[in-house]
Amino acid sequence: APGSLLATAGAMRAAGLLLAWALLHPAATQQCHPASPGGVLRFTDRHAEIRVPALHRVPSSLDPLYGLVRRCLDLIQQNPLPTELLRTALNDPGSVRTSQVVQYELGYVVCAAVALLFTVAVPVAGMFFCYCRSRRRCGGRLRAHRRSLGCRRRCLLACLSFTSLVILISVTCAFVTSQRVKGQMEPGLGAVPSTLRTLRQHLANVPQVAPLSWQGVQMVVDKFEVPRKQIISDLGGLSRSVGLSIHAQLKAMTYAALADLQDRAGDLQTSLHHLQILDRTARALAAARAELEPALRERRHRVVALLDDPRCTSCASVLGRAQSLELGADYGKVPSVEKVLKALAGLPRSDFAEMIRQGNGTFNSIPELAVERMAQVIQDLRDDLARTADKVQSIADGFPLPDYTRPVSEALLKAEDRSQPYLREAERFERYRWIAGTVLCSIILLILACNVTGMALGAYGLSKREDPSDYECRGEAGAKFLLVGVGLAFLFSWLLILLVFATFLVGGNIQTLVCRNWVNQEIYKFIDTPGNLPPSMNLTRQLNLRRDSNLSSAYRECKSGAGLWEVLQLDRSYDLDEHLKSPKYTADFQKRLGDFTANLGDVRLLRSEGRQDLETFARSGVDEVDYGRFQEEMKNPVVQTSLPGLARNLEGLQKMQVRGGWAAGDPPVPGGRAHPAVPPQRNSTVAGRLAAEARALWQMQNSTVQSQEALVAKLGESVQFLSRLAPHLKERVKRTLATTASVEARLPVQAQQILRQELGCFTRKELRYFTQYLNWVGQTLREDVASCQPLATALDNGRVILCDRIADPWNAFWFSLGCCTFFLIPNIIFAVRLTKHFRPIRNRLISTGSEETCPFHIPRVTALKL
């Protein structure tokens, strides 16, 4: 069909364009696949357990209180770090003079004197108060009622309320800070040995040759398992990936060549088929014409004779068509294709379908072939990785001797052992301090409770008392509550001041002598100054620092993240960069991949017998046949006059003969005379003969002419196909043979190029894994395993624990407790003065004697007011 021919031609053109593109771009280089997120290795950090986590000061709502306490301590102790005194105490403790200590601690000495004065004065004042109370003088009654008593009472109430509020706020702060000290002291004290132990573990894990102290670098070396597993995983899919890549990049060219070859094989089969049809049909048409000619001649003679009969009414109009009843096309004149058929006899000798199937199957088996051919090299690469792991182990085996870190580890172990007794004593002291502070704070709360209860009852009693001299039990109870609070204040205030001074002396010196100089790094400067420390405490020598370095510079370097390579100059004895050069571990791996070759593109598309068939097809002369002669002859009908048309005309005349009369349009009778008025008689014999001739024409049309017309249509399809194919036949066959030969020749070459390219991409990808691992090893050994940052972090953590988490709430505790203690003095005064206002007022007209001397006193209805 024409549509199928057009579709075939379009597919052939598309395949030709695709093949031309493939042939014009055979050496187009394909870039490696971009690195995917999976191409970045992730190394699990196994050294987190030996790191020292950095501690920081946590903002708190008590920070303003902490700042106030520090400013107070700065006023009390304004002297800088006692360099001379410390140098003497460390080098020659026996020569330290008391006057030097007193001079430096002058602020604390003054505070000690004030505390001593308070400790003595308050109990003495309490004894005097007890004596006066026994004489009914302190806390007794007012002697007379005055107008100003209400104002004085309100003023005393306000002052006592204010002092009680201050004491309440102070004791609350004391409770909170005491609890915070208790909460921070236990983990803070426990952090000292744990930090020292962590530092020793960190130093022990610095890469060393000693078998018992090289866990750090061994962990790093063991991490080679990460890239090794990744590379082995990639090797597992390498061969198939290479085969698939070769197949994917060459399939367009190969499939186009196979499609073109399939088209030529189809052309051969179809052309042979149509040539055979052409030859058979032409012969059949010529034979049928010879058979039809006498029958058609006889039929023409009989029809003409019938129509020329005078009895045939109105037959003259059809006579001309009957006389032209002759044969049309003569297919005996068309060119013969016997020569072409003889040339194509026996073709195709090869099975093109099987040949194409085998070529396609061989090409599609390239991935499996790559897996088979690359099995040995992949096994060799796995063996190379095992040998590379042994080479990586040399990183751990070659590290410097442990002389650098052994002194520090021994010093840390000694510090850890010696700190245990002091830490236990500090813990015990803290437990006693917390108990004493909790008890005394509770007593202060009890005093406040007495104050609040006394003021509430006293004020309520005053509001219910109609006469100032009347006795009111609630007012009397309020006065007694106030006196109980006063008694408790006198009884325990000296214990409060002793606890305040004891905690103040410890916390204040820690803040001013240690923390303040730790923050401004005066302590580091003191340690760095030659002669300040005795030879047994020479940290520069014990830490094995550089001669041009000191503790301050080492601390700054460690804090900035420097490793022991920089601080201890380990690079002088061990060149880590030399051990981490990638070619040292990847040379064998890279060389084996670079030397590998394999023939993966040996695909046979067209065998010799198939090539000979196509060449014979091109030389057969299919393109030399004059198909135009066939097309010109097919334009002629089988019979010049249409048999169906002539038969229908005869049938019409037959009906007229039966019906009789003149028909409109009948020609006049000979001689120009008009038809007679009366129609002629009917002629049934002529009508029967006309019907018989019409049936004979229909029979000839249906039996002979239609079969010849079908043969002509069939001949037309073959002529159309061959006429389209013939002009391009030799060119297409020539191109197909050249393309097939070119593809067969180029497939191995391009397959080898793609193999080299894929292996190159794979090599670069795997080398990146090696590089990532070696870079991580270098960074980890310099900054993590062999980093001295934990030392600086430990020092900073010690300052945070001691100063920010313990000393600040400790000092805030004694400051708050001291405020409570000192505000107890005005609290006592205001409570004693207010007690008189809650009791009945004496009347001046009554005897001034005591109540005991007037047992029968009868009060007046109204008292005399002055």
Side-chain angles (χ1 to χ4, degrees):
S4 62
L5 291 174
L6 291 174
T8 304
M12 292 171 63
R13 285 196 297 272
L17 291 174
L18 184 60
L19 178 62
W21 183 91
L23 293 176
L24 289 174
H25 300 80
T29 57
Q30 183 180 4
Q31 299 294 330
C32 296
H33 301 291
S36 60
V40 179
L41 297 179
R42 294 288 183 263
F43 299 99
T44 306
D45 186 5
R46 294 181 58 185
H47 300 88
E49 68 275 5
I50 62 171
R51 287 179 177 171
V52 178
L55 303 178
H56 303 282
R57 180 185 180 88
V58 180
S60 171
S61 58
L62 296 176
D63 286 344
L65 177 61
Y66 296 159
L68 176 63
V69 175
R70 283 195 292 270
R71 287 191 291 273
C72 292
L73 288 174
D74 290 338
L75 291 176
I76 294 172
Q77 178 57 281
Q78 301 180 6
N79 297 323
L81 182 69
T83 305
E84 295 296 330
L85 181 60
L86 290 177
R87 180 189 298 115
T88 304
L90 291 173
N91 291 278
D92 188 11
S95 62
V96 176
R97 290 177 296 175
T98 306
S99 59
Q100 293 177 317
V101 178
V102 172
Q103 183 179 359
Y104 177 73
E105 298 280 347
L106 184 60
Y108 294 100
V109 172
V110 173
C111 292
V114 172
L116 180 62
L117 178 63
F118 188 95
T119 304
V120 174
V122 172
V124 171
M127 287 187 293
F128 277 107
F129 175 77
C130 291
Y131 175 75
C132 292
R133 182 70 187 121
S134 64
R135 305 294 299 174
R136 299 189 179 275
R137 295 184 180 275
C138 295
R141 301 182 184 183
L142 292 175
R143 295 185 179 276
H145 182 80
R146 297 180 178 84
R147 293 180 180 179
S148 61
L149 286 180
C151 180
R152 291 175 62 187
R153 186 188 308 116
R154 287 190 294 273
C155 182
L156 288 173
L157 277 171
C159 291
L160 184 58
S161 299
F162 175 74
T163 56
S164 299
L165 179 62
V166 172
I167 293 174
L168 177 62
I169 294 173
S170 300
V171 76
T172 302
C173 293
F175 261 122
V176 172
T177 52
S178 177
Q179 193 63 31
R180 186 162 296 186
V181 171
K182 182 178 183 297
Q184 294 293 338
M185 183 67 74
E186 183 176 354
L189 295 177
V192 174
S194 65
T195 301
L196 295 175
R197 193 178 307 112
T198 302
L199 290 176
R200 283 196 300 107
Q201 292 175 356
H202 178 76
L203 292 174
N205 282 278
V206 171
Q208 296 173 356
V209 174
L212 297 179
S213 56
W214 69 329
Q215 294 89 349
V217 71
Q218 189 59 44
M219 291 178 185
V220 175
V221 169
D222 291 342
K223 282 299 176 181
F224 180 70
E225 190 69 13
V226 175
R228 192 182 73 85
K229 286 183 177 179
Q230 183 63 48
I231 294 172
I232 289 178
S233 175
D234 293 347
L235 283 174
L238 173 62
S239 56
R240 179 163 292 276
S241 175
V242 169
L244 291 175
S245 180
I246 294 174
H247 184 271
Q249 296 184 46
L250 298 181
K251 67 180 181 181
M253 178 176 65
T254 306
Y255 289 165
L258 289 172
D260 198 25
L261 181 59
Q262 187 174 12
D263 290 342
R264 297 294 79 77
D267 290 345
L268 173 58
Q269 295 280 1
T270 309
S271 299
L272 183 59
H273 173 68
H274 283 292
L275 284 171
Q276 292 171 349
I277 291 175
L278 193 66
D279 182 64
R280 290 196 303 267
T281 305
R283 290 176 182 273
L285 287 172
R289 189 179 189 277
E291 294 178 0
L292 181 61
E293 184 177 4
L296 186 63
R297 188 184 312 118
E298 180 184 356
R299 187 58 53 196
R300 182 181 68 231
H301 174 73
R302 296 184 64 176
V303 172
V304 169
L306 177 61
L307 294 176
D308 197 29
D309 189 345
R311 293 175 299 172
C312 185
T313 303
S314 302
C315 294
S317 60
V318 186
L319 183 60
R321 296 188 67 180
Q323 289 174 347
S324 63
L325 190 62
E326 296 177 353
L327 291 174
D330 186 1
Y331 289 96
K333 300 177 183 180
V334 297
S336 174
V337 293
E338 291 183 7
K339 183 180 177 181
V340 179
L341 288 173
K342 288 180 180 180
L344 295 177
L347 294 184
R349 287 183 291 271
S350 58
D351 188 351
F352 281 95
E354 179 64 19
M355 190 186 311
I356 292 172
R357 188 189 65 79
Q358 289 180 359
N360 194 26
T362 303
F363 177 74
N364 289 335
S365 65
I366 286 179
E368 288 74 16
L369 183 62
V371 173
E372 178 184 350
R373 299 281 177 85
M374 297 183 67
Q376 184 58 45
V377 71
I378 289 177
Q379 182 58 44
D380 295 340
L381 290 172
R382 290 193 177 100
D383 297 339
D384 289 341
L385 281 176
R387 288 189 289 272
T388 302
D390 296 335
K391 293 179 181 179
V392 172
Q393 184 62 40
S394 65
I395 298 176
D397 298 338
F399 263 83
L401 296 175
D403 297 337
Y404 293 95
T405 55
R406 184 184 296 114
V408 182
S409 298
E410 293 176 353
L412 290 173
L413 179 60
K414 187 182 296 183
E416 182 181 349
D417 294 337
R418 291 184 177 181
S419 65
Q420 295 295 338
Y422 298 102
L423 294 176
R424 285 193 293 269
E425 290 296 325
E427 185 177 1
R428 188 164 58 116
F429 177 77
E430 162 59 21
R431 184 165 58 253
Y432 293 155
R433 181 212 63 80
W434 181 80
I435 294 174
T438 303
V439 171
L440 293 178
C441 287
S442 301
I443 293 173
I444 293 175
L445 290 177
L446 183 60
I447 293 173
L448 290 176
C450 292
N451 287 348
V452 172
T453 305
M455 287 186 292
L457 291 175
Y460 184 72
L462 288 175
S463 65
K464 294 297 183 180
R465 190 167 58 190
E466 297 179 356
D467 192 286
S469 60
D470 289 343
Y471 177 82
E472 216 289 320
C473 63
R474 283 164 291 200
E476 185 67 23
K480 290 181 179 179
F481 270 108
L482 290 177
L483 289 179
V484 170
V486 169
L488 291 175
F490 278 123
L491 185 61
F492 293 101
S493 60
W494 66 278
L495 292 175
L496 288 170
I497 199 64
L498 288 180
L499 180 60
V500 169
F501 179 73
T503 53
F504 158 74
L505 188 63
V506 175
N509 276 290
I510 290 176
Q511 174 61 35
T512 57
L513 184 62
V514 179
C515 295
R516 187 171 62 188
N517 296 292
W518 199 340
V519 172
N520 57 27
Q521 297 189 359
E522 289 294 328
I523 292 180
Y524 298 141
K525 295 178 183 178
F526 175 80
I527 295 175
D528 293 336
T529 303
N532 285 347
L533 297 178
S536 60
M537 299 176 63
N538 190 342
L539 296 181
T540 301
R541 180 174 57 82
Q542 289 186 0
L543 296 176
N544 207 5
L545 301 178
R546 300 191 306 263
R547 293 184 179 181
D548 59 342
S549 180
N550 51 37
L551 186 61
S552 299
S553 62
Y555 169 76
R556 288 191 296 270
E557 291 177 5
C558 293
K559 189 173 181 63
S560 64
L564 292 179
W565 269 268
E566 300 178 20
V567 178
L568 303 181
Q569 289 185 332
L570 293 178
D571 53 347
R572 293 183 178 181
S573 59
Y574 186 81
D575 189 356
L576 185 59
D577 292 331
E578 180 65 26
H579 286 78
L580 296 180
K581 287 183 177 179
S582 180
K584 181 177 179 181
Y585 307 99
T586 61
D588 296 340
F589 188 89
Q590 191 171 1
K591 184 176 183 302
R592 192 175 299 278
L593 281 174
D595 295 342
F596 175 75
T597 57
N599 187 8
L600 300 176
D602 190 7
V603 179
R604 190 73 179 273
L605 302 180
L606 181 63
R607 292 194 292 269
S608 59
E609 57 271 18
R611 185 177 296 275
Q612 292 176 2
D613 286 349
L614 292 180
E615 291 173 351
T616 303
F617 178 45
R619 296 192 305 265
S620 64
V622 176
D623 55 336
E624 298 175 0
V625 177
D626 188 3
Y627 299 103
R629 292 283 304 277
F630 285 91
Q631 294 172 346
E632 291 177 2
E633 201 64 38
M634 284 189 298
K635 293 178 182 177
N636 299 323
V638 176
V639 180
Q640 293 291 348
T641 299
S642 174
L643 295 181
L646 182 59
R648 281 191 289 270
N649 290 336
L650 295 179
E651 289 173 350
L653 291 175
Q654 181 262 336
K655 292 177 182 179
M656 291 179 61
Q657 303 302 318
V658 174
R659 213 173 37 246
W662 305 106
D666 283 348
V669 298
R673 292 180 291 109
H675 290 287
V678 179
Q681 294 180 354
R682 298 175 181 176
N683 192 342
S684 59
T685 304
V686 174
R689 292 177 62 188
L690 286 172
E693 291 299 330
R695 286 194 300 272
L697 289 174
W698 279 114
Q699 183 178 5
M700 182 178 292
Q701 172 68 28
N702 294 332
S703 62
T704 304
V705 177
Q706 281 188 357
S707 62
Q708 292 188 36
E709 288 177 349
L711 290 175
V712 171
K714 186 176 181 181
L715 181 66
E717 293 180 2
S718 299
V719 169
Q720 184 179 9
F721 173 81
L722 293 171
S723 63
R724 289 178 180 271
L725 175 66
H728 311 288
L729 176 61
K730 289 184 178 179
E731 179 186 352
R732 289 179 179 176
V733 171
K734 182 180 178 180
R735 186 190 64 198
T736 298
L737 295 176
T739 299
T740 305
S742 176
V743 170
E744 287 180 346
R746 299 180 72 88
L747 275 176
V749 178
Q750 293 194 19
Q752 188 65 26
Q753 291 177 355
I754 297 171
L755 172 65
R756 301 290 348 129
Q757 174 186 320
E758 291 295 321
L759 291 181
C761 292
F762 178 80
T763 302
R764 288 189 290 275
K765 177 184 177 183
E766 306 313 314
L767 290 182
R768 284 196 296 269
Y769 290 144
F770 279 105
T771 303
Q772 289 181 47
Y773 170 70
L774 294 176
N775 290 340
W776 176 79
V777 168
Q779 180 181 3
T780 304
L781 292 182
R782 288 188 176 98
E783 300 177 6
D784 185 6
V785 175
S787 173
C788 67
Q789 192 171 17
L791 301 174
T793 304
L795 291 175
D796 292 340
N797 289 350
R799 179 186 58 78
V800 171
I801 293 173
L802 179 62
C803 301
D804 297 338
R805 298 191 177 184
I806 295 180
D808 279 350
W810 178 288
N811 290 326
F813 167 73
W814 64 254
F815 185 83
S816 301
L817 197 62
C819 288
C820 295
T821 305
F822 283 103
F823 270 91
L824 284 177
I825 296 176
N827 179 82
I828 292 172
I829 296 173
F830 294 141
V832 171
R833 298 291 300 274
L834 188 60
T835 301
K836 297 180 180 181
H837 292 268
F838 294 158
R839 287 176 170 163
I841 300 175
R842 296 176 182 273
N843 196 314
R844 286 194 171 206
L845 298 178
I846 301 172
S847 173
T848 59
S850 63
E851 295 177 1
E852 289 79 0
T853 58
C854 303
F856 303 105
H857 168 65
I858 301 176
R860 294 172 59 88
V861 176
T862 58
L864 180 63
K865 297 183 179 180
L866 299 178

